[in-house]
Amino acid sequence: MLAHAAIAKLFSLPIILTTSAETGPNGILPKEISSMYPSAPLIRRNGEVDAWDNKEFRDAVRAQNKSQIILGGITTDVCTEFLALSLREQGYTVFANTEASGTFTHKLAADANERMKDGGVILQGMFAIVMDLMRDWRNTPGSLQVLPWLDTYLPAYGYVARGHEAAVQNGTLAPGEAGLKA
């Protein structure tokens, strides 16, 4: 979820934060997320499970005047799915970050993802969302900004980039690398 939250900062995207019931079972927004965006709208819902059912949240989304929304939530089959499908009903193009939420079983996640896909929601993982937003390594943000971000939030890709950097810097290949298929 932290990586998902950090995507907006990387690409200077507008962000809306929300909680369903701060005194209820889900509690407050993690400070790691709220501290990333101290001036972002934080909609403290009164218990509405689907964020779209809250007028203040709807107004905040509409005030951004955007037609595409990237979202994630605590649980895939409730927080993410309910809002994603409500936004689709309102005509928004919705990208659900499949790595930004979880649920209790793989079946629940698969069922929720299937319902969202059937409802026209675009399901993408974090890496695909970031690459879709970047579009070209030469852009800004591009490799200069995105590679350090990936090194922080997707270490497996960071290892690939660091390995490439090391090979370029020392001009050598490890035994066996020369014969690998390109």
Side-chain angles (χ1 to χ4, degrees):
M1 186 59 87
L2 292 178
H4 176 76
I7 291 171
K9 189 167 288 298
L10 177 64
F11 290 98
S12 300
L13 301 173
I15 188 167
I16 300 167
L17 307 171
T18 187
T19 58
S20 61
E22 290 189 358
T23 59
N26 294 328
I28 62 171
L29 195 65
K31 66 181 178 214
E32 294 86 354
I33 294 174
S34 59
S35 66
M36 278 187 211
Y37 303 100
S39 59
L42 172 55
I43 311 302
R44 293 176 169 94
R45 302 188 322 266
N46 297 310
E48 298 94 342
V49 174
D50 182 345
W52 197 251
D53 290 341
N54 179 280
K55 182 183 182 324
E56 187 180 358
F57 181 83
R58 289 191 309 271
D59 291 346
V61 170
R62 289 176 177 141
Q64 297 299 325
N65 198 30
K66 301 291 181 187
S67 61
Q68 298 179 332
I69 297 178
I70 302 167
L71 65 86
I74 293 174
T75 61
T76 306
D77 55 326
V78 176
C79 304
T80 301
E81 178 189 340
F82 290 7
L83 177 56
L85 293 175
S86 291
L87 289 165
R88 285 292 302 134
E89 287 176 6
Q90 297 299 310
Y92 290 92
T93 300
V94 179
F95 297 82
N97 184 341
T98 56
E99 296 176 290
S101 61
T103 195
F104 305 103
T105 68
H106 291 292
K107 181 178 179 353
L108 288 174
D111 291 349
N113 286 334
E114 184 177 342
R115 284 189 296 273
M116 286 190 285
K117 186 176 177 184
D118 289 348
V121 175
I122 300 161
L123 304 175
Q124 287 187 311
M126 177 185 68
F127 185 70
I129 289 170
V130 169
M131 293 298 104
D132 199 10
L133 290 166
M134 183 186 70
R135 305 301 286 180
D136 188 319
W137 288 106
R138 299 166 294 178
N139 285 342
T140 302
S143 63
L144 182 63
Q145 299 79 19
V146 173
L147 285 174
W149 188 93
L150 289 169
D151 194 44
T152 299
Y153 295 108
L154 188 60
Y157 196 86
Y159 299 149
V160 170
R162 281 188 259 139
H164 176 72
E165 175 191 28
V168 169
Q169 284 181 350
N170 68 26
T172 62
L173 296 176
E177 285 182 321
L180 296 176
K181 296 179 182 176

